[in-house]
Amino acid sequence: MKKLLEFIPLILFFIIYKTYGIQEGAIVLSVATVVQLILLKILYKQIEKSQWIMGISVIIFGLLTAYFNDLTFLKWKVTLINALFAVVLLTSQFGFKKPIIQALLGKELTLPQSTWETLNLGWAGFFILCMVINIIIGQFFSDDVWTTFKVFGLTGLSLVATLVTVIYLYPHLKLQEENNGK
């Protein structure tokens, strides 16, 4: 339910953008994101930091896009957010010697340190890959192609990255389950 709620503003943007244009799509995206944040607070009693970052950036860049009637601002939002997430992951691992993935999931999972580090680096690489692909598509393809990529391509890439993570963690999860069963 939570993931669906996070996806709704993007779908609304896509539909309104394709039907009416950039300004209207960006306004709907910004308003829907405000509503989404309110619903997250009401339904789940809290909004995670990453949701705040994404929500506020969507609202700011969405309103800039609407005001200037230029999709460039939303294109840069995607690039900057992916860069920010990659920098946070890499800084946590190399600057603070504690992968942020471990800090986020360590309460639910017990994994070897090398696994946490690999997982952290994998997600940092994923965000860098998304950033680079977004720049290429945003610069060298039409706004329609970029919008379709943003809604469906990045979502698909995220699903693939999540699946790869589950496959990578499966042996560790199975071992943890066996140890908890003893």
Side-chain angles (χ1 to χ4, degrees):
M1 171 71 174
K2 197 177 204 181
K3 287 295 175 196
L4 177 63
L5 188 59
E6 293 175 2
F7 196 61
I8 290 172
L10 191 57
I11 292 296
L12 290 174
F13 164 74
F14 184 75
I15 292 168
I16 300 302
Y17 167 75
K18 291 289 189 177
T19 307
Y20 298 102
I22 294 170
Q23 281 183 316
E24 295 83 353
I27 290 168
V28 167
L29 176 66
S30 298
V31 171
T33 301
V34 170
V35 171
Q36 171 202 43
L37 291 171
I38 291 168
L39 286 173
L40 284 170
K41 182 67 174 171
I42 291 169
L43 295 173
Y44 299 101
K45 308 294 184 237
Q46 72 173 18
I47 301 172
E48 298 169 15
K49 285 181 186 177
S50 62
Q51 291 168 323
W52 274 117
I53 292 168
M54 290 294 291
I56 290 169
S57 67
V58 165
I59 293 164
I60 291 169
F61 285 95
L63 291 174
L64 287 169
T65 296
Y67 182 78
F68 291 105
N69 195 26
D70 187 350
L71 206 51
T72 302
F73 295 99
L74 283 178
K75 290 177 183 179
W76 277 104
K77 188 236 25 132
V78 174
T79 300
L80 293 173
I81 289 296
N82 281 305
L84 174 68
F85 287 163
V87 166
V88 167
L89 287 163
L90 294 171
T91 301
S92 72
Q93 186 160 335
F94 296 113
F96 297 105
K97 307 295 184 212
K98 176 132 181 166
I100 198 163
I101 295 282
Q102 183 178 6
L104 296 172
L105 301 176
K107 293 175 185 129
E108 290 91 28
L109 296 170
T110 304
L111 299 171
Q113 190 62 29
S114 62
T115 303
W116 285 120
E117 291 169 358
T118 301
L119 193 59
N120 202 70
L121 286 175
W123 276 97
F126 167 74
F127 289 122
I128 292 167
L129 175 69
C130 288
M131 180 185 71
V132 169
I133 293 171
N134 184 68
I135 290 170
I136 291 169
I137 291 176
Q139 292 294 315
F140 299 108
F141 293 87
S142 70
D143 286 349
D144 283 343
V145 169
W146 179 83
T147 304
T148 302
F149 163 74
K150 167 62 180 117
V151 174
F152 300 106
L154 284 176
T155 301
L157 285 172
S158 296
L159 290 173
V160 169
T162 301
L163 182 61
V164 168
T165 299
V166 169
I167 292 168
Y168 175 70
L169 290 177
Y170 181 75
H172 299 286
L173 298 174
K174 189 171 177 147
L175 182 62
Q176 183 174 333
E177 186 178 292
E178 289 171 2
N179 289 337
N180 289 340
K182 291 181 181 179

